Amino acid sequence: MASAKPVRALALVGPTGAGKTTLMSAMLTASGGHGLEKVGDLTPEAKARGHSVELNLANFDFMGEAYVVVDCPGSLELITESETALAAVDLAIVVIDADPAKAALAQPMLRELEALRVPRALFVNRMDQARGPLDALMMALAPVSAAPLVARQLPTVEGEHVTGFIDLALERAHVWRPGQRSEIVPISEGLKSVEADARFHMLEQLADFDDTLMEQLLNDVDPARDLVFADLVRDMNEGLIAPVFFGSASAGFGVGRLLKALRHETPAPERAAARLGIDRAGAYVLKVSHAGQAGKLAVARVFGAPLADSAELVLPDGEKARSGGLFAVHGASIRKIAKAAVGDIVAIAKIEDSVAGQALAVGGAAFKVKPPAIRTPLFALAIAAANRKDDVRMSGALAKLIEEDPGLSLKNDPESHQALLSGQGDGHVRLAIERLRRRYNVEVAVEAPKTPYRETITAGVTQRGRHKKQSGGHGQFADVTLGVKPLPRGSGFTFVSKITGGAVPRQWIPAVEQGVRDGLAKGPLGFPVVDLEVTLLDGQFHPVDSSEMAFRIAGRITIEEALAKCGPRLLEPIDKLGVFVPTSAMSSVNSALSARRGQILGFAARDGWPGWERIEAHLPHSERHALIAELRSLSQGLGAYEASFDHMAELTGRAAQEISKAALAH
């Protein structure tokens, strides 16, 4: 979309099922454009799940102003799909359900927006289906926002249904009409005092940031409408308040009034540019895409000056690249354009080294924008190409998927020899696997990651071992005596030599140590052995047949024979967890952690999150695999955790026997 006026960028965010994509469709319809048949949830993965799984872009004009809407997935598992994009928008509209019981679902996204310093407003959806007083909803919403929530409208009720609202800034009553624009009607006598109280409360909230307004209210002076609107605009733009609007996206109720408010109050693109640290012509990359025939596309927002096709762009490392095409994006369709207006979000082709979160300069020096933080993965699956000939193709396809979604990561575990694909949850990782199959025709086999068990010893022993082999010519001979004893947990492995008199020539002592390390790589229970000291006490050598390899083999043979006599025990890794859940879910989550052999260490209020708790616990690493799914099922999809390795603990009984049996079978 090329326009002489700057294009304002709006993000639609909120929990899954709140109606974000429906609101985007309603906005397009209200502006005279197309609805969902052109944009929103068009991929097979989105259709199968019934909700957004990636960013959707749409453009529209309303009353002579140009807008681009970024519809963001609502699932917390897909938060990394949105984070980089949110940093670059002018305003985020948090879409929430009218049910007070669902108010807490908005809190994680509001905290994210607050951290990014993005101005925000709330749209309470499905008000035509709402039940109960507005006060209950506003009370439930108040704790979820750090900034005061300022109701811009007072919903009006006929019988049991909300049928319209009173605009508290303009003091006008509107009645919703299905399929039509709302109708302005006189404020009824019965509502005048209620409206006056609601408006005064709104003004009091604004007066907290405006001494002039506060003075007028104290002196019973009715403030000028221009002052009220100026405060509403400034306070929202600076993140001091979060205004609240009401409506029904599916019925189109309240959408026109929302757009009219946004027309006057949405910040200019310069504010987002300043927030990002972009002080001249450039483009900020929201995400990259490899889908379609256009090759790699950098989806970016234009700042500072219009961006022309074939412009030379400077990457953060100073490298230069020329745009290989400029495309307007609307839903699943892209259209080649010659120039993009300031504020517009477009796709730029052939910038091969671009990644999400980069700022590209148009000429001049490179921008040094702080990259987005990388979230710690919460779930992983081990993946392998179902057909070995697809290994290279799978690696290339995964690299593209990870470039599109920085919340994914892939690492090869050298111990388990597994390739681990990690993300923010089971759904997140399996979504990537579905894309791998559909886009790149690569079938994969998946399994749970292997737990890095260890084993240790409980008793000491002195063991003599010998390697002797004759095969014509020089043979092989080495004889060693090792002392083995356990060490405290966490000590690792220590090798000591007490050889005197040349029983083992000095140059071959390191070979004995290496042989011991070879033997410790897989102990009697099938796992690496730790927390022991091995001392080389004595040995024998042959002047002709002894060699470095012979002593290495002798070291391995001797330690293997010794370990079986040392009372081997299985050790499992224990992680320390900080689990974050709403207070209402704490009891259920504690029970779930205990059922997973967790040890609860303590509780504390989550800092800066009213109504949330932080649970400290120790949990066996093997029990973490599907933990995030259970946490979210117990907490309306809100639970999260952070984890780090803490210590190794002994595991005994049938569980240890089964784990060892499985390891030795491979």
Side-chain angles (χ1 to χ4, degrees), residues 413-418 451-454 527-528:
D413 186 332
E415 180 179 327
S416 67
H417 305 292
Q418 291 179 312
T451 299
Y453 292 104
R454 295 289 184 267
F527 297 97

Side-chain angles (χ1 to χ4, degrees), residues 19 24 29 38 46 145 187 191 259 266 275 334 336 339 383 438 443-444 517 526 558 619 625:
M24 179 170 73
T29 300
K38 295 294 184 182
S145 173
I187 300 174
L191 283 177
L259 289 175
T266 301
R275 199 168 60 236
I334 62 173
K336 200 168 191 312
K339 182 180 289 188
I383 69 169
R438 178 178 65 85
E443 290 292 332
V444 296
R517 290 183 181 274
T558 308
L619 188 76
H625 175 58

Side-chain angles (χ1 to χ4, degrees), residues 467 475-479 511 545-555:
H467 173 59
Q476 297 183 39
F477 177 84
D479 186 304
D545 293 342
S546 291
S547 65
E548 180 179 355
M549 181 56 68
F551 272 99
R552 179 170 177 172
I553 294 172

Side-chain angles (χ1 to χ4, degrees), residues 288-291 296 352 383 385 388-405 408 410 412 419 421 432 435-437 439-442 444:
V288 298
S289 171
H290 291 277
K296 180 176 178 178
E352 296 301 330
I383 69 169
R388 291 298 301 273
K389 69 179 183 180
D390 287 336
D391 280 348
V392 174
R393 216 152 53 88
M394 183 186 78
S395 297
L398 282 172
K400 291 179 179 179
L401 291 176
I402 291 168
E403 195 174 26
E404 290 182 352
D405 182 357
L408 296 169
L410 182 71
N412 291 303
L421 181 63
R435 287 171 172 161
L436 191 64
R437 289 169 174 155
R439 289 191 198 171
Y440 302 103
N441 197 29
V442 176
V444 296

Side-chain angles (χ1 to χ4, degrees), residues 2 24 75 201 340 345 364 600 665:
M24 179 170 73
S75 170
H201 179 61
I345 296 176
I600 306 298

Side-chain angles (χ1 to χ4, degrees), residues 23 26-27 30 62 123 246-249 252-260:
L23 178 57
M27 286 177 159
F62 183 75
F123 181 79
F246 302 88
S248 171
F253 297 155
V255 177
R257 297 305 308 171
L258 173 66
L259 289 175
K260 287 183 179 179

Side-chain angles (χ1 to χ4, degrees), residues 341-357:
V342 171
D344 204 358
I345 296 176
V346 295
I348 309 171
K350 303 295 179 63
I351 311 296
E352 296 301 330
D353 293 329
S354 60
V355 297

Side-chain angles (χ1 to χ4, degrees), residues 45 72 100 223 353 355 366 478 484 513 554 558 569 596 604 642:
E45 294 84 9
C72 300
D353 293 329
V355 297
V484 184
E513 179 180 354
T558 308
R569 293 290 187 274
R596 290 172 175 266
E642 56 189 22

